[in-house]
Structures are given as structure tokens and as C-alpha cells.
Amino acid sequence: MSSAERLTRQLARAGVSEVRETADALPTDGAVLLLRVDYAFEQRLIDALAERPGAVLLDGAIPVAAHVPAAEAPGVAAAIAKGSAADLPATVDRLDSEGLAGSYNRKLRKREIAYLIPLSPQTVDEVEARSFAGSYKGVTDAVTKYVWPVPARIVTKWCAVRRITPNAVTYVGLVLVFAAMWAFWTGHYLPGLVAAWVMTFLDTVDGKLARVTMTSSEFGNVLDHGIDLVHPPFWWMAWVFGLPAAGFSAAGAEWMIAIIFGGYILQRVEEGIFLRLFGMHMHVWRPFDSFFRLITARRNPNLVLLTVFTLFGRPDLGMYAVIVWIVLSFLVHTAQIVQAVIARRSRPIVSWLDAA
């Protein structure tokens, strides 16, 4: 998309109701946001600027954006067009990217200074790379963090160029959810794993596509997170029921299914308890907690276990390994809550990412 189109979408996400592509006929009252169209701004900068009257964003010594009263807007707009910080009013706050938006992205759980890049043919690749990286969560599972980024960027760009919507990608993922479930239920584990892994990959793509194209919607968010929240335990249940069809014993199926659903629900409850008690996700409290999020008994780490054992011809042992890992992960999360409750008696609970 063009820079003007991108900025228009970003401003809409920041709650700006009226957008003009030139500085002509500026409003005579209220507040005005001014941005150079020849720059790429991370969304955090737009959001922070919209909430900070009297701020001017600088790229080095060059003013590139501002939030000022309408009475000051013509003079500030002239200074931005000229690229001269010396022509700015003395009353404005001059801030760089880190000063405006900070370095901790709480929404995506990572430390990263928001990008601010001048647009030119030479910087297009950099803007694309930083835009995609800026859409990625910093604390997540190992597959999403280390395996998917390169192919996901390729597919995300392919979808963006063709105007494929994030919801369309999510619907394909939903079809694969049921395809994998049916394959597991009937004991066809390898085809089911292929469908499951493609689904998890598309689950990464749809969110990144929504963020980089600024096309996220409330419906899409509910659809995507609703699918993510519901399907994993049903996959594992189908896996257990499919063992006899694949020639393996399903002895103890009742207690395995009880642990699958009980462990899944209880771990989500534990995360909610931590968030309620301490105002942050348990996975960002300490470095260990962020590390454990890489491997805790969520969908992708469980799929890794099932895939490895299935490739060695023992999908039954793979499910037993998942059961054990669910129990151990539950115990680790319980310990995290207890440790945080104890620690809070002597000091505030602050994320290591926020405090670094």
C-alpha cells in the first residue's frame, strides 16, 4: 500500500476521526496530528503521539511528526516540511522514538524500540522487515518464535500483495482444524499432523497479516482467538480415540482425557489468576518464566512431542509424553503463582522486560 494509505489506517486505529493528506486548510480549533508521509512509523508511535499533546517526534534532528494545538499547527507543519527542529516552538516536547513510545511493547511482550524509518526505494526492504518483526510477539512458544518467522514473512507478504484478508486465512485454518481432528480420530496420524502443522503456521500468518496491513477487526480477533482457545484439547482427545484404529492400546483413555481437559483448563485459569493478582502475564515476570513459555504444554510444544514419537512409530507413547508434560507444566505454573505471592511481600512484582 502507499504510505498515505498506511498512515490513514494507522491513524484510524489510533482513534483519529478526520485525516487529510496535505497540511492545507488546517483546523482552526482543537488539536492536530501532523506526520510526514515520507516516513514509516510503527503503530506504537502513532498511538503514543495521539495521547501526548504538545509532543514532537524527531528523527535525529529532523522533526517528522507532532501533536499540537490547532493555533500552533501551521508553524509546526512548516518546520516539519522544512526538516528544521530550530523552527519549532520552544513549548513543545522534543522526543525521539524511545522517548515517545518507550522500549517495552506490553501488547507483544518484548523490548524493542519502535521503528521510525525514512521512506525511499533503498529502505523498502528494511521497512517490510521491521514492520513484520514489529508484529511478532516476543514471548511465545519455540516453534512460533524460531521456526515460523522466515516462512511466515514470505507468506504474509504474498497474501498482502494479493489483498487476501486475515479472516480468509483464519477460515482456511479452521478447515484444517477439523481435518486434523478427523485424521487423529481415525488413526491417520501423519496426515493429521501435516494438517495440524499447516494450521499452526497459518495461525501465525493471519495475526501478522492483520497487524502489518492494519486490517484487524473485533470479529477477526474473536474468531482467531476463539479457535485457538477451543481446539487443542479436542485434538488430543481425538488422538486418544484414534489409537485403536492405528493398532495401539487406548487403555486408560478416560483418565488421559480427564488430564487433557482438566490440565488445559486449569493452566488457563492459572494464567488468569496471575494476571488478576499481578496485572501482567505470568510469562513475562522473570527470565525463567519467558523461557518456560517456549516449551510449556501449549499446542505447538505438544505437537512437537507427538510428531517425534509418531515418526518413530509410537503415537501412543507420544500421547503419554504429552500427558506427563501437561501435569509437569501445571505444577510449574502453580509454583510460579506461589513464588510471586511470596515475592510480593517484600517487593513489587514487575516484569523483567519492563525493568530491564
Side-chain angles (χ1 to χ4, degrees):
M1 70 186 77
S2 69
S3 178
E5 181 183 0
R6 177 181 173 83
L7 282 173
T8 298
R9 294 186 185 186
Q10 289 182 298
L11 288 165
R13 290 185 65 182
V16 177
S17 58
E18 181 183 356
V19 179
R20 304 177 186 179
E21 293 190 15
T22 70
D24 299 332
L26 289 169
T28 57
D29 58 0
V32 178
L33 286 177
L34 301 163
L35 301 104
R36 284 182 57 152
V37 77
D38 58 348
Y39 267 77
F41 301 83
E42 187 172 323
Q43 184 66 40
R44 279 189 293 156
L45 294 174
I46 307 293
D47 294 341
L49 190 66
E51 296 176 356
R52 187 152 183 175
V56 174
L57 176 61
L58 301 177
D59 177 26
I62 302 173
V64 297
H67 181 178
V68 293
E72 296 181 7
V76 174
I80 290 175
K82 186 178 177 181
S84 172
D87 294 334
L88 292 170
T91 54
V92 299
D93 295 326
R94 294 165 168 80
L95 303 167
D96 61 10
S97 180
E98 184 175 9
L100 179 61
S103 59
Y104 178 37
N105 187 333
R106 287 177 175 80
K107 185 176 182 180
L108 296 181
R109 308 173 202 169
K110 61 182 177 180
R111 288 187 63 82
E112 184 178 67
I113 297 174
Y115 64 81
L116 174 65
I117 306 172
L119 284 174
S120 70
Q122 292 73 36
T123 62
V124 169
D125 288 342
E126 181 186 2
V127 171
E128 288 184 356
R130 291 295 301 276
S131 175
F132 182 79
S135 72
Y136 229 91
K137 287 183 179 178
V139 178
T140 185
D141 67 86
V143 174
T144 302
K145 188 176 181 70
Y146 299 118
V147 180
W148 289 155
V150 172
R153 181 185 169 190
I154 295 171
V155 174
T156 298
K157 181 175 180 179
W158 187 89
C159 291
V161 169
R162 287 158 181 79
R163 302 284 177 165
I164 296 173
T165 66
N167 286 352
V169 178
T170 303
Y171 287 131
V172 175
L174 180 59
V175 172
L176 291 171
V177 165
F178 289 107
M181 190 180 303
W182 177 86
F184 295 156
W185 200 291
T186 56
H188 296 89
Y189 292 115
L190 287 177
L193 285 168
V194 171
W197 279 119
V198 174
M199 182 273 164
T200 69
F201 174 71
L202 294 180
D203 187 39
T204 289
V205 170
D206 60 8
K208 309 304 173 289
L209 181 63
R211 292 189 187 106
V212 300
T213 60
M214 277 72 69
T215 54
S216 57
S217 65
E218 187 63 31
F219 172 75
N221 186 57
V222 171
L223 177 66
D224 182 39
H225 287 86
I227 293 171
D228 292 347
L229 185 65
V230 171
H231 79 269
F234 289 97
W235 273 3
W236 317 146
M237 180 183 70
W239 191 285
V240 172
F241 284 139
L243 288 173
F248 298 93
S249 171
E254 294 82 2
W255 66 261
M256 285 194 288
I257 292 172
I259 291 175
I260 287 168
F261 279 90
Y264 184 79
I265 293 170
L266 288 175
Q267 286 183 64
R268 292 288 186 168
V269 169
E270 287 180 315
E271 293 178 2
I273 289 172
F274 198 100
L275 183 61
R276 180 66 178 270
L277 289 177
F278 308 109
M280 64 181 173
H281 294 277
M282 65 163 48
H283 308 298
V284 300
W285 176 28
R286 303 164 301 185
F288 169 81
D289 305 313
S290 297
F291 163 77
F292 196 72
R293 177 63 179 87
L294 293 170
I295 58 175
T296 191
R298 290 285 196 95
R299 180 190 62 198
N300 289 359
N302 288 345
L303 274 177
V304 170
L305 288 173
L306 293 171
T307 300
V308 170
F309 278 94
T310 300
L311 290 175
F312 281 97
R314 295 304 302 266
D316 56 332
L317 296 183
M319 181 49 65
Y320 287 126
V322 167
I323 295 294
V324 170
W325 191 232
I326 288 173
V327 173
L328 291 176
S329 295
F330 168 75
L331 294 175
V332 170
H333 293 321
T334 301
Q336 289 171 304
I337 295 173
V338 173
Q339 290 168 346
V341 170
I342 295 172
R344 187 169 62 175
R345 296 174 182 174
S346 59
R347 66 182 187 278
I349 299 298
V350 179
S351 169
W352 73 282
L353 294 169
D354 204 7

